[in-house]
């Protein structure tokens, strides 16, 4: 009975049952941690921090989904983001003059250019020289960690320009109550507009329309979620003041990245080809798709995202440190896999990966609040990874 | 004499030291079905892959409507109106019928976004024309469809784009009797519309029912070319085995 109604609900709202299950798991995790920490977990302050902590891994997962969907893997993202984060610090502090307005934009531009170059370099070996991505990016993991150290012989580079620091969140790195509501309102308007537009389009082509209550429910859930998010971010005041923080800038970067990557994955030829190649590489090739260029581009995108994550990490630490991003690749891959992306390729979703990242970060954050020793935290995270993938295997077998 | 729709002249292909095709010439006219016969390794597949752009020939030339063309990739073949339905069907099983029919040739809006509504509309149309039965949804992953339905989607992909020349590699190998009949009907209909069809099959019965002419290959050479009406199945079987035309 309940199973049937959940399935109907999913069909009417167009929400994946897998995403619903993950959202359910997240709510359970949050409630359990909240009761064991006497309400500290769900406090605005902690949720605000959680959002900032998730942004770096979240940005990387959007690219890793495409990498894994094309039957590849990228083990180098942690090292690449470390190297680029360090490079950005060197450019800003040691090369460009301080206190000029164009220092930060130019630093960002240079960092992204390096990200594109590194992505193209690794993508070239994988796509055009047929070296397995596992090997190329394992080599990348070593090479770029070494490069991060060699740039300054291990020295930490600090401090960053003030406007650069904003990108990492930090004390002033959020947009305040007014702009948070402004963006939230814009998002709500966009969601409602898209629902109406989609109904019209299906009507014009004479396709079956979703039931009205389904669309109303979807719209209601979105409006509720966006409002709750803005309210929470505004409920946390700058320490020692009555001024609401609002949405942190790194979280805005994450949201922007997700929107762009979802658009690429769902509405462009490139996105369609990524999934077609993942499902059947030979079919994609015979359909006349330039599959080598496709794989190269996927790694270029991963490089750009690693640059964004590197900028964000350096901004947050207010320093270039050569160990930044160590082991980040594992968090990213775990989040993507928990989010339902198949390592066999062809199946995966960016929304799922973001949820996966939030779940992983919530576990870590909650265990820190509980004061669990870090060794124990690793045991828990590892076990959750196995359980999550096992649940996914069972789910796939049922659906098939 | 009429100009053939397709003429492959003196095609040569070598894999390392192994000669796969040795001076092979075949023709195909409008409204004609030519059956390509031969054992495994006789060179049928290699020949067909050269025509469809999956391999490049080492020598020889290909003429479409009497004009020489260069085919280096599947894209080139399609640009010349040559569509191929592979035995494996070459479908991306994780995607739906719409995505597969339009794979590599998507309809996009003026902003470059995929126009899924238009593609879904066109897919429904072409599948209706093929009289595909019991298709639950054109938006379900094709892995959930039956063998005949999957075959129909591969055919739909070819005919939607106004193919002139159709290559069908073992179109009935994995199908039940009813589905085989459906494919046979489709072939007859396409013939009436003036397409030329290369049919590759192991099943002599199918080939005799559908083909107007037979080209028999052995050891990378053409060993016989005859009208279906002039020979018996036994004659053809002898040709496939011995590599000599019937006495």
């Amino acid at each position: 009975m309940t199973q049937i109604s959940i399935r109907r609900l999913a069909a009417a709202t167009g929400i994946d049952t897998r995403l619903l299950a993950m959202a359910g798991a997240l709510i359970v995790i949050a409630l359990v941690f909240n009761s064991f920490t006497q309400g500290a977990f769900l406090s605005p302050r902690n949720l605000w921090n959680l959002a900032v902590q998730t942004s770096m891994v979240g940005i990387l997962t959007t690219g890793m989904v495409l990498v894994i969907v094309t039957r590849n893997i990228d083990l180098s993202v942690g090292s690449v983001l470390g190297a680029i984060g360090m490079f950005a610090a060197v450019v800003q502090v040691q090369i460009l003059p301080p206190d000029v307005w164009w220092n930060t934009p130019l630093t960002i531009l240079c960092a992204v250019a390096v990200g594109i170059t590194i992505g193209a370099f690794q993508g070239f070996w994988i796509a055009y020289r047929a070296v397995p991505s596992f090997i190329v990016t394992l080599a990348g993991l070593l090479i770029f960690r070494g490069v991060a150290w060699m740039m300054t012989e291990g020295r930490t580079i600090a401090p960053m320009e003030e406007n650069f620091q904003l990108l990492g969140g930090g004390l002033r790195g959020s947009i305040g109550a007014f702009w948070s509501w402004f963006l939230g309102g814009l998002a709500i308007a966009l969601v409602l507009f898209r629902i109406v537009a989609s109904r019209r389009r299906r009507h014009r082509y004479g396709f079956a329309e979703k039931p009205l209550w389904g669309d109303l429910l979807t719209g209601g859930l979105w409006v509720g979620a966006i409002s709750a998010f803005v309210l929470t971010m505004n409920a946390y005041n700058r320490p020692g003041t009555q001024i609401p923080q609002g949405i942190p800038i790194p979280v805005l970067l994450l949201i922007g990245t997700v929107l762009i990557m979802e658009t690429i994955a769902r509405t462009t030829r490139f996105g369609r080809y990524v999934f077609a190649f993942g499902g059947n590489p030979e079919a994609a090739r015979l359909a006349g798709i330039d599959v080598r260029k496709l794989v190269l581009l996927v790694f270029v995108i991963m490089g750009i995202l690693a640059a964004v994550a590197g900028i964000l990490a350096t901004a947050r630490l207010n320093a270039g440190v050569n160990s930044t991003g160590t082991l980040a690749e594992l968090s990213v891959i775990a989040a993507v896999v928990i989010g339902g992306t198949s390592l066999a390729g062809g199946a995966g979703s960016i929304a799922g990966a973001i949820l996966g990242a939030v779940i992983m970060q919530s576990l870590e954050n909650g265990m820190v609040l509980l004061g669990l020793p870090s060794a124990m935290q690793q045991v828990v995270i590892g076990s959750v990874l196995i359980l999550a993938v096992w649940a996914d295997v069972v789910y796939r077998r049922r659906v098939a | 004499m009429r100009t053939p729709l397709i003429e492959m002249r003196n095609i040569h292909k070598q894999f390392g030291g192994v000669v796969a095709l040795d001076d092979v010439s075949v023709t195909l006219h409008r409204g004609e079905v030519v059956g390509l016969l031969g054992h495994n390794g006789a060179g049928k597949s290699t020949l067909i892959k050269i025509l469809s752009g999956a391999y490049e020939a080492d020598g020889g030339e290909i003429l479409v409507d009497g004009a020489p063309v260069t085919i280096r990739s599947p894209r080139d073949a399609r640009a010349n109106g040559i569509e191929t339905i592979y035995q494996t069907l070459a479908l991306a099983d994780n995607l739906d019928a719409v995505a597969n029919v339009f794979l590599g040739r998507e309809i996009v809006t003026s902003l470059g976004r995929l126009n899924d509504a238009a593609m879904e509309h066109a897919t429904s149309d072409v599948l209706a024309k093929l009289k595909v039965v019991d298709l639950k949804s054109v938006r379900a992953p094709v892995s959930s469809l039956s063998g005949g339905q999957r075959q129909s989607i591969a055919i739909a992909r070819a005919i939607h784009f106004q193919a002139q020349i159709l290559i069908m590699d073992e179109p009935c190998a994995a199908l039940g009797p009813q589905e085989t009949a459906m494919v046979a009907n489709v072939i007859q209909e396409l013939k009436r519309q003036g397409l030329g069809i290369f049919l590759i099959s192991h099943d002599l019965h199918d080939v005799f029912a559908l083909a107007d002419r037979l080209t028999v290959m052995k050891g990378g050479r053409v060993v016989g070319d005859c009208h279906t009406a002039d020979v018996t199945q036994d004659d053809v079987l002898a040709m496939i085995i011995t590599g000599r035309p019937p006495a």
Side-chain angles (χ1 to χ4, degrees):
Chain A
M1 176 61 205
T2 46
Q3 244 189 342
I4 294 168
S5 56
I6 286 176
R7 214 168 280 167
R8 260 188 63 196
L9 188 74
T13 51
I15 297 174
D16 201 339
T17 44
R18 188 207 307 274
L19 287 186
L20 274 183
M22 287 179 61
L26 183 59
I27 290 170
V28 171
I29 290 170
L31 290 179
V32 169
F33 275 131
N34 200 45
S35 67
F36 278 107
T37 56
Q38 288 81 43
F41 184 83
L42 285 179
S43 67
R45 175 193 150 94
N46 190 53
L47 290 176
W48 193 90
N49 279 325
L50 181 62
V52 174
Q53 288 161 359
T54 308
S55 44
M56 188 183 86
V57 168
I59 286 170
L60 292 170
T61 60
T62 61
M64 189 66 82
V65 169
L66 300 193
V67 168
I68 295 182
V69 164
T70 54
R71 305 185 173 198
N72 287 303
I73 193 80
D74 191 343
L75 300 173
S76 71
V77 287
S79 294
V80 173
L81 94 81
I84 296 179
M86 185 53 122
F87 172 77
V90 169
V91 169
Q92 177 145 83
V93 176
Q94 295 189 335
I95 298 177
L96 298 179
D99 296 326
V100 289
W101 69 268
W102 46 268
N103 183 325
T104 292
L106 191 58
T107 302
I108 293 171
L109 220 59
C110 291
V112 171
V114 171
I116 291 173
T117 311
I118 293 177
F121 169 77
Q122 298 198 112
F124 169 79
W125 284 102
I126 295 160
Y128 289 88
R129 290 293 175 262
V131 182
S133 56
F134 186 93
I135 300 301
V136 171
T137 60
L138 181 63
L141 182 150
L142 296 168
I143 292 171
F144 296 110
R145 185 59 66 198
V147 168
W149 196 91
M150 286 184 334
M151 263 186 274
T152 64
E153 261 143 26
R155 275 177 299 120
T156 294
I157 303 291
M160 306 303 290
E161 298 277 309
E162 255 180 44
N163 52 1
F164 189 92
Q165 288 176 41
L166 296 181
L167 297 169
L171 274 188
R172 310 181 67 84
S174 49
I175 58 174
F178 171 75
W179 289 108
S180 298
W181 274 121
F182 179 81
L183 287 182
L186 212 62
I188 287 173
L190 198 70
V191 165
L192 297 180
F193 170 78
R194 293 206 49 169
I195 291 177
V196 172
S198 148
R199 283 188 80 82
R200 285 227 183 109
R201 201 167 45 233
R202 294 195 69 83
H203 185 75
R204 193 170 34 174
Y205 281 93
F207 297 148
E209 284 168 61
K210 286 184 200 164
L212 186 62
W213 66 265
D215 273 339
L216 284 176
L217 185 62
T218 315
L221 281 175
W222 273 108
V223 172
I226 294 169
S227 308
F229 174 69
V230 174
L231 276 173
T232 312
M233 294 299 119
N234 283 348
Y236 175 44
N237 291 336
R238 277 192 190 148
T241 70
Q242 292 301 307
I243 309 164
Q245 285 275 35
I247 304 172
I249 290 172
V251 177
L252 280 182
L253 281 177
L254 170 62
I255 294 172
T257 304
V258 170
L259 289 179
I260 293 170
M261 292 295 287
E262 273 280 2
T263 306
I264 290 175
R266 283 173 186 266
T267 71
T268 67
R269 284 189 165 161
F270 170 78
R272 172 75 39 98
Y273 296 166
V274 162
F275 281 87
F277 178 83
N280 187 345
E282 185 63 8
R285 198 179 67 81
L286 291 173
I289 296 166
D290 187 343
V291 295
R292 289 189 289 195
K293 198 167 105 194
L294 184 79
V295 171
L296 179 83
L297 278 177
V298 167
F299 278 91
V300 167
I301 289 177
M302 194 71 245
I304 294 172
L305 293 174
V308 174
I311 289 166
L312 203 148
T314 295
R316 194 161 142 69
L317 291 168
N318 190 19
V321 183
N322 66 62
S323 65
T324 303
T326 305
L327 294 184
E329 58 280 347
L330 298 184
S331 309
V332 173
I333 292 168
V336 169
V337 170
I338 287 179
T341 296
S342 160
L343 286 172
S349 89
I350 290 172
I354 293 296
L355 258 180
V358 175
I359 288 179
M360 293 281 291
Q361 205 60 55
S362 299
L363 283 173
E364 229 165 277
N365 175 297
M367 289 190 294
V368 169
L369 286 185
L370 284 176
L372 284 188
S374 69
M376 191 62 202
Q377 292 180 27
Q378 290 177 330
V379 172
V380 172
I381 299 272
S383 313
V384 167
L385 185 58
I386 294 182
L387 280 177
V389 174
W390 173 70
D392 189 53
V393 169
V394 173
Y395 171 84
R396 271 174 215 280
R397 211 175 287 154
R398 281 229 187 132
V399 169
Chain B
M1 190 175 161
R2 287 183 304 156
T3 316
L5 184 54
I6 281 278
E7 188 171 0
M8 296 179 81
R9 278 188 197 155
N10 315 110
I11 301 291
H12 190 83
K13 176 75 188 174
Q14 223 166 313
F15 294 105
V18 181
V19 178
L21 293 175
D22 182 14
D23 200 23
V24 170
S25 299
V26 294
T27 57
L28 177 69
H29 290 88
R30 283 188 188 283
E32 186 184 38
V33 178
V34 170
L36 267 181
L37 296 166
H39 278 308
N40 288 333
K44 323 181 286 279
S45 293
T46 309
L47 184 68
I48 264 6
K49 281 187 172 157
I50 286 169
L51 188 57
S52 65
Y55 293 159
E56 220 178 313
D58 297 329
E61 53 178 347
I62 300 173
L63 294 86
V64 175
D65 269 332
V69 295
T70 319
I71 297 178
R72 287 217 181 85
S73 69
R75 216 173 262 275
D76 291 345
R78 287 175 161 192
N80 284 299
I82 301 168
E83 293 282 341
T84 311
I85 298 164
Y86 295 93
Q87 185 176 2
T88 55
L89 301 182
L91 298 174
D93 278 331
N94 55 332
L95 301 184
D96 59 26
V98 179
N100 271 291
V101 167
F102 283 90
L103 191 57
R105 288 177 289 195
E106 290 77 6
I107 302 176
V108 291
T109 64
S110 48
L111 293 172
R113 290 163 64 103
L114 294 175
N115 189 343
D116 263 318
M119 289 192 277
E120 184 172 339
H121 195 66
T123 303
S124 301
D125 268 3
V126 65
L127 288 177
K129 237 183 274 171
L130 286 172
K131 300 193 176 58
V132 179
V133 286
D134 297 334
L135 192 67
K136 270 176 294 182
S137 159
V138 288
R139 303 250 66 145
V142 299
S143 58
S144 68
L145 307 181
S146 75
Q149 289 169 340
R150 289 159 51 82
Q151 185 78 52
S152 310
I153 287 162
I155 296 175
R157 167 155 71 187
I159 65 174
H160 176 73
F161 291 96
Q162 271 101 42
Q164 294 302 303
I165 301 115
L166 202 55
I167 302 167
M168 301 177 94
D169 193 355
E170 298 282 0
C172 302
L175 302 185
Q178 213 176 351
E179 292 172 327
T180 303
M182 185 209 82
V183 172
N185 281 336
V186 171
I187 291 177
Q188 295 296 349
E189 174 59 32
L190 295 176
K191 221 174 102 168
R192 262 195 297 281
Q193 291 173 14
L195 273 76
I197 299 175
F198 273 123
L199 186 66
I200 302 171
S201 181
H202 274 96
D203 188 333
L204 278 183
H205 181 77
D206 281 351
V207 176
F208 267 76
L210 294 169
D212 304 299
R213 198 152 54 81
L214 304 172
T215 298
V216 181
M217 296 184 68
K218 186 175 166 71
R221 294 166 158 277
V222 173
V223 296
D225 188 51
C226 47
H227 287 276
T228 314
D230 300 341
V231 288
T232 65
Q233 289 198 25
D234 284 344
D235 293 341
V236 174
L237 199 57
M239 239 193 298
I240 292 172
I241 294 167
T242 64
R244 276 192 299 273

